[in-house]
Amino acid sequence: MQCFDATAILQPMSRLILIGLLCALTAACSVPKRPLPLTAHRPAVLLVSIDGFRPSYLFRGDTPTLDHLAQSGAFSPGMRPSYPSLTFPNHYTLVTGLHPDQHGIVNNNMRDPQLGRFAMQIRDAVEDGRWWQGEPIWLTAQRAGLRTATMFWPGAEADIQGEHPHEWRTYDAHFNYGQRLRVVESWLRRPALERPHFMTLYFESVDTQGHYEGPTDTATREAIRDVDAQLSKIVKMIDELADGAVNLLIVSDHGMTAVDPDHHIELDALLPDDSYELISHGALAGIEPRPSHREAVEAVLLAPHPHMSCHRRDQLPTRWHYGTHPRVPAIICQAVPPWIIANQRATRTPTYALQPRVYLGAHGFDPALDDMQALFVAHGPSVKSGIVLHTIASVDIYALMCSLLGIEPAPNDGNPLPTQAMLKTPLRNTH
Ligand code: AMP
Ligand code: ZN
Ligand code: ZN
C-alpha cells in the first residue's frame, strides 16, 4: 500500500511524525529513509583494483586490454595516492573520498587506544566496523536505494555502521581469478532490475610479484599480462550484455619501486630495543617512544638522517594531510627509495623465520613520487573517449562514482572538478 504524500509541504520533522501516524493508521506502508532514485537502467559501476599497478606498466606491449580501454575512454598518467601509499589506507580512500587521517585506516598496521592492534592478518580487526570511519560508497549507495556487491575490497568485510555491502566475501587469496570472475559474471548476467549497481573486483598478484621480484622483473610482467587477460574476459562479458550498461573503473591503490637488502636503514642500530614500540615499518615507520625514553628517542630520530626524515606527528608535511588521527604514532619516519626502514626484531618473529624473504619492490613512499602514482582507467557509456586526466588523486574517485550512480556523496576530501571533465553528461544529483 502506498502512503498518500500529503506531507510534502511540511517541515522534515513534522513530515516524519505525520508519515509515522499515517502509516500506523493504514497498517502497511514502508517509509524510505531517503527518496529512492532507482532508475533501473542507470549504468552500473564496476570498480576493479589491480593492487600495486603503476601506470608506467601500460603501453609496453603487456596490456592490450588496458591500453585499449585507456585510449578509448579516460585515463590518468598518474593518480596521486593518499599518504601513506599503502594498501588498506588507499583502498579505503578510494571508496570514501577521505584521506586516511580522516577515515581512520592510517596504516596496514596500527594501534588504537581503545581497539588494540590492527593488521591485515588479524581477521577480528579487519572485520570490526569500529576501525572503519567515514561512509564507504556501498553505504552511500544502499542508503539511496541501490544494490551493492563486492568481490573483495578492504572494508567490505567489516560491519561499518552496522552494515556490509548487500553481497560480500571474506578475503581469501586462494580464491582464484577464475572463481572471482565467475562471481562478477553472475552479477552482470542478472536482469537489469536485479543487477547490483555498484560492484568491486580485486587482483593482488601484480603487487605480490612487484614486492618479490621488483617492478621491472619478468615475473611481474607476467602477472601484469595475466591480469590484463582477466580484464579482457570482463570486457567481453560487459559487451555481451544486451544493454552494455556498465561503467568500468580500473584503479590501483599505489605504485611500486625497486628496493634491495643493501639499502636497509636499521632502526636497531639507532635506538635501544626497549626505548620504543615499533607500530609499523618498511617504506615508512611508525614509532611510539616509551614514556621514559621520549626525549632520547626524539633526539635521535628528529636529527637529520641520510636516507629518511622523521617528524613528530604534528609536524608532518601539510600536503600529506596526516597526523591528527589518534591512531597515528608519535613519530613517523619516511624513507627515500631505494632505502627502507628495517628492524631486526621484526625478522626474529616466528612468522618471518618460517618464510624469510628478500623484497625487491616496495611502496609506502612519498605519494608525490612518480613510482608511487596509481592507475586510473575509466570506460563505459557515461565516459567520454580520449580523455587524459593529469591531476587526479585517489580521494577524487568516491565523488566520481557517486556522480556515475546519480547519488548524493557524503562529505569528502575529493575535488569533483577534474573527473567531471570525463563525463558525457554531468550526472550529479540526477534524482
Ligand atoms: P601491502 O602489504 O600493502 O602490499 O598489501 C597487499 C596485500 O593485501 C595483498 O597481497 C593481499 O593479500 C592483502 N589484502 C588485500 N585485501 C585484503 C583483505 N580484504 N583482507 C586481508 N588482506 C588483504
Ligand atoms: Zn597495495
Ligand atoms: Zn604491496
Side-chain angles (χ1 to χ4, degrees):
M1 182 189 279
Q2 288 273 302
C3 272
F4 165 64
D5 196 8
T7 62
I9 49 167
L10 298 173
Q11 291 301 308
M13 206 52 208
S14 25
R15 277 189 72 180
L16 277 180
I17 295 166
L18 187 57
I19 290 174
L21 277 173
L22 282 172
C23 289
L25 288 172
T26 53
C29 80
S30 68
V31 185
K33 281 191 213 130
R34 286 191 206 172
L36 293 182
L38 253 192
T39 55
H41 300 297
R42 174 165 296 154
V45 169
L46 172 56
L47 175 66
V48 180
S49 163
I50 313 175
D51 199 313
F53 191 111
R54 63 184 206 192
S56 57
Y57 292 161
L58 297 175
F59 306 119
R60 300 184 310 176
D62 296 329
T63 54
T65 312
L66 274 167
D67 295 355
H68 170 73
L69 293 170
Q71 281 165 333
S72 57
F75 137 81
S76 173
M79 176 167 75
R80 196 176 63 258
S82 278
Y83 188 89
S85 54
L86 298 174
T87 297
F88 265 48
N90 270 283
H91 273 90
Y92 201 50
T93 287
L94 286 160
V95 294
T96 55
L98 299 172
H99 290 296
D101 212 34
Q102 302 301 318
H103 66 49
I105 305 298
V106 300
N107 201 296
N108 290 341
N109 296 282
M110 48 185 178
R111 287 269 157 90
D112 178 278
Q114 268 83 47
L115 302 174
R117 229 183 111 214
F118 182 102
M120 294 190 295
Q121 301 77 10
I122 305 177
R123 293 308 312 174
D124 284 353
V126 168
E127 294 174 9
D128 183 341
R130 290 174 298 172
W131 285 97
W132 306 82
Q133 297 163 347
E135 183 176 294
I137 180 103
W138 51 86
L139 291 193
T140 313
Q142 284 165 199
R143 287 166 184 177
L146 304 186
R147 295 178 293 276
T148 69
T150 50
M151 181 58 258
F152 299 156
W153 200 273
E157 301 137 293
D159 54 337
I160 301 171
Q161 299 173 35
E163 283 182 68
H164 290 270
H166 288 136
E167 294 167 64
W168 58 279
R169 282 169 175 267
T170 303
Y171 178 70
D172 173 7
H174 301 296
F175 195 70
N176 66 38
Y177 289 173
Q179 292 169 306
R180 297 181 201 187
L181 257 60
R182 277 193 287 283
V183 171
V184 173
E185 184 173 21
S186 74
W187 297 333
L188 291 172
R189 291 207 189 288
R190 288 182 194 164
L193 279 170
E194 292 164 30
R195 186 183 303 151
H197 297 89
F198 173 77
M199 295 164 272
T200 71
L201 172 61
Y202 172 75
F203 297 111
E204 65 279 80
S205 53
V206 172
D207 179 78
T208 310
Q209 289 308 322
H211 282 299
Y212 289 173
E213 310 297 345
T216 55
D217 188 81
T218 47
T220 308
R221 289 187 86 141
E222 200 45 57
I224 292 164
R225 287 196 202 112
D226 174 45
V227 169
D228 192 78
Q230 306 298 330
L231 291 173
S232 77
K233 296 179 200 165
I234 303 265
V235 170
K236 191 159 171 282
M237 283 174 207
I238 294 175
D239 286 348
E240 281 170 7
L241 294 178
D243 50 14
V246 178
N247 286 309
L248 187 55
L249 298 185
I250 303 166
V251 296
S252 67
D253 46 352
H254 49 71
M256 184 69 69
T257 197
V259 295
D260 65 73
D262 295 335
H263 293 90
H264 278 188
I265 302 162
E266 298 288 350
L267 273 184
D268 317 66
L270 293 173
L271 296 168
D273 248 19
D274 59 355
S275 66
Y276 67 101
E277 194 184 352
L278 190 63
I279 310 295
S280 72
H281 65 102
L284 73 150
I287 293 148
E288 205 62 67
R290 305 253 179 237
S292 53
H293 294 81
R294 182 166 298 274
E295 278 174 26
V297 170
E298 285 190 353
V300 170
L301 291 180
L302 301 181
H305 296 272
H307 311 292
M308 71 171 179
S309 55
C310 302
H311 310 264
R312 268 201 290 263
R313 49 177 271 164
D314 57 352
Q315 288 172 353
L316 290 162
T318 46
R319 65 192 168 81
W320 288 353
H321 304 280
Y322 196 69
T324 64
H325 199 287
R327 294 174 195 160
V328 176
I331 298 178
I332 299 291
C333 292
Q334 180 63 61
V336 177
W339 292 85
I340 56 169
I341 303 165
N343 174 263
Q344 287 304 316
R345 253 191 296 168
T347 60
R348 287 197 298 267
T349 59
T351 28
Y352 186 90
L354 278 176
Q355 212 183 10
R357 266 219 91 104
V358 171
Y359 288 99
L360 298 179
H363 50 88
F365 297 103
D366 191 328
L369 296 178
D370 278 354
D371 281 357
M372 289 301 104
Q373 302 309 295
L375 175 73
F376 175 85
V377 172
H379 191 276
S382 313
V383 180
K384 285 185 196 159
S385 177
I387 300 284
V388 181
L389 297 159
H390 286 282
T391 52
I392 62 164
S394 305
V395 281
D396 302 337
I397 301 309
Y398 166 79
L400 167 68
M401 293 192 293
C402 288
S403 288
L404 289 167
L405 293 168
I407 58 178
E408 188 72 40
N412 63 84
D413 297 325
N415 175 0
L417 294 180
T419 51
Q420 287 292 311
M422 59 173 257
L423 299 178
K424 281 188 184 155
T425 46
L427 292 169
R428 287 164 69 78
N429 309 334
T430 48
H431 56 279

